[in-house]
Amino acid sequence: MKVAPVFSPVSQPISRRTLLNRMAVGFGGLALNGMLAEQLFAAESSKSSLGPLAPRMPHHPPRVKRVIFMFMSGGPSHVDLFDHKPLLERDDGKPLPFAERGVQFAERGNLMKPLWKFRPTGQSGIPMCELWQHLPKVADELCMIHSLCETNVSHGGACMKLHTGNEAFVRPSVGSWVSYGLGTENNNLPSFISICPQSIHGGVDNYGTSFLPSIHQGVALGTPGYPNTPAKDAKFDYMGNSRLSLDQQALQLKLLRQMNKSNAAPHDALLDARIQSFELAFRMQTAAPEVMDISGESNVVRKLYGLDDPMTENFGLQCLYARRFAEAGVRFIQINHAGKLPKTNEQWDQHNYLEEGHAENVAKSTSP
């Protein structure tokens, strides 16, 4: 019995390219196996040192590496700053043309036209009010979303909705999801940092993990409070140990790890997260002060961040810290613009002093 050949060089000629393609299982397969082995070894090595914060391979190619989230507590008035609605000018002083909702945060008055005139900015023509002096310079780098609407008019529910996607139930914060999905790029710093957070309107839940592993919790730079901690006074709590050297602390952690592991149930996620947080705090003692040391920043950079002006210094320092943490490999950094003003209560929360408060806030949150 004769067996037909797989191919005949006479009846089915094959080019060199086709031959190499068909032999991919051979040469190409060997190369692919080698590449995958290197990636697997790197991943396993990374996991051994970073644990659950090891960088993860995403489901699709990532378009960004890090996120800096600027949270303006209270909510800037979009119809006065960015969202131009010409009909408000026409109907200024008139009552609402539709029925009010049943549940209200406070009594509402009649329609009011924008406090400042609008003009197009950048080549894209994004409308901004005349209050903005420096932001129009980067108008073409911005993406404006005008399709959102509120479902909760109270501060607490609205803040929870913004940070976690839910206004009633505790859910993981957006920063925790980013940490969970991408891991960290620095073994000695958290993957998620919240700079000068508030203690109200959601508080720690705004940077919490809910059902995600605790290692993805946002770490506060500055003790949460109301008003929030000034940036110049912000620090990570419990970072120093005046009684024990680093070597002694390392021995303590080693003993603690052995004791916990010997008495823990298998796969105790909560205990593992607690041990990892202790070890991360130990490593942060040297890494965090280095990132927060801005003595090497030039006067030009300090001026760009508004550190030379008392009006912009606080928020500018938060922005500078955020840039330095991002450069150090932190995945998600949140900045909180949420102090108190003499008349206008918390920043961006102006009820009776909108014109005065927003003018001051715009000046405080921008620099050349």
Side-chain angles (χ1 to χ4, degrees):
M1 181 177 179
K2 293 183 178 181
V3 179
V6 176
F7 66 89
S8 171
V10 177
S11 59
Q12 300 180 7
I14 299 178
S15 68
R16 178 174 176 273
R17 179 174 306 215
T18 303
L19 177 64
L20 290 175
N21 285 338
R22 290 190 178 184
M23 294 183 66
V25 176
F27 298 123
L30 288 175
L32 179 62
N33 285 335
M35 293 168 61
L36 291 177
E38 290 178 0
Q39 292 183 6
L40 180 61
F41 176 77
E44 291 302 320
S45 299
S46 179
K47 286 181 180 179
S48 64
S49 60
L50 297 178
L53 289 180
R56 300 169 182 260
M57 292 296 292
H59 298 294
H60 51 77
R63 300 171 63 181
V64 295
K65 291 184 178 180
R66 287 167 287 278
V67 177
I68 296 178
F69 174 30
M70 297 183 178
F71 174 52
M72 308 298 186
S73 182
S77 173
H78 60 102
V79 295
D80 288 288
L81 301 179
F82 298 107
D83 193 7
H84 187 210
K85 298 187 181 299
L87 292 184
L88 284 178
E89 298 178 4
R90 185 197 69 183
D91 298 333
D92 181 43
K94 295 180 181 179
L96 287 175
F98 49 81
E100 259 289 11
R101 65 166 69 208
V103 178
Q104 300 182 38
F105 179 74
E107 184 179 353
R108 302 196 190 191
N110 293 334
L111 298 176
M112 186 176 72
K113 66 181 181 180
L115 292 174
W116 300 276
K117 294 181 179 179
F118 278 78
R119 84 282 202 196
T121 61
Q123 295 183 355
S124 58
I126 291 178
M128 293 187 192
C129 81
E130 60 186 4
L131 199 59
W132 298 107
Q133 297 299 312
H134 306 297
L135 199 61
K137 299 175 184 177
V138 294
D140 294 326
E141 301 177 35
L142 304 177
C143 176
M144 295 287 185
I145 301 176
H146 295 283
S147 58
L148 300 180
C149 61
E150 49 86 7
T151 57
N152 193 318
V153 296
S154 67
H155 289 294
C159 286
M160 292 255 315
K161 183 75 173 284
L162 177 67
H163 286 90
T164 71
N166 196 294
E167 62 194 61
F169 300 100
V170 177
R171 293 288 185 268
S173 60
V174 60
S176 297
W177 278 117
V178 171
S179 170
Y180 178 77
L182 296 180
T184 187
E185 292 182 325
N186 191 321
N187 189 27
N188 301 320
L189 290 171
S191 58
F192 174 18
I193 293 176
S194 182
I195 303 177
C196 302
Q198 290 188 109
S199 59
I200 62 171
H201 299 156
V204 295
D205 290 334
N206 291 333
Y207 52 96
T209 56
S210 183
F211 51 75
L212 291 180
S214 300
I215 194 65
H216 302 292
Q217 165 97 12
V219 176
L221 173 60
T223 304
Y226 181 70
N228 54 347
T229 304
K232 62 182 179 62
D233 299 328
K235 60 182 180 180
F236 292 109
D237 289 335
Y238 312 113
M239 284 291 297
N241 191 324
S242 59
R243 296 184 301 104
L244 301 177
S245 67
L246 290 177
D247 289 339
Q248 291 173 318
Q249 293 178 58
L251 289 174
Q252 275 191 337
L253 285 173
K254 182 178 179 180
L255 176 61
L256 182 62
R257 189 186 311 114
Q258 292 173 347
M259 294 174 62
N260 285 331
K261 288 294 185 182
S262 63
N263 294 282
H267 308 296
D268 189 335
L270 290 177
L271 180 58
D272 287 341
R274 187 173 292 110
I275 295 174
Q276 290 157 7
S277 67
F278 288 160
E279 295 178 346
L280 175 60
F282 169 69
R283 296 192 298 270
M284 285 175 62
Q285 291 181 80
T286 55
E290 181 179 348
V291 176
M292 295 180 62
D293 181 7
I294 64 171
S295 59
E297 298 287 355
S298 67
N299 291 332
V300 174
V301 171
R302 290 170 178 269
K303 186 174 181 179
L304 284 173
Y305 281 86
L307 303 190
D308 61 334
D309 185 346
M311 180 73 74
T312 57
E313 179 184 14
N314 186 61
F315 190 64
L317 183 56
Q318 288 196 46
C319 292
L320 182 56
Y321 281 154
R323 191 212 79 200
R324 293 177 64 88
F325 280 124
E327 292 173 341
V330 178
R331 288 291 191 189
F332 194 98
I333 308 104
Q334 176 164 333
I335 301 170
N336 296 279
H337 193 232
K340 270 191 174 181
L341 296 176
K343 289 184 178 180
T344 57
N345 194 18
E346 71 181 294
Q347 294 187 4
W348 299 110
D349 181 21
Q350 282 83 50
H351 294 263
N352 300 320
Y353 302 94
L354 180 60
E355 185 172 4
E356 178 184 353
H358 268 42
E360 184 172 345
N361 287 336
V362 167
K364 283 192 170 187
S365 59
T366 59
S367 64

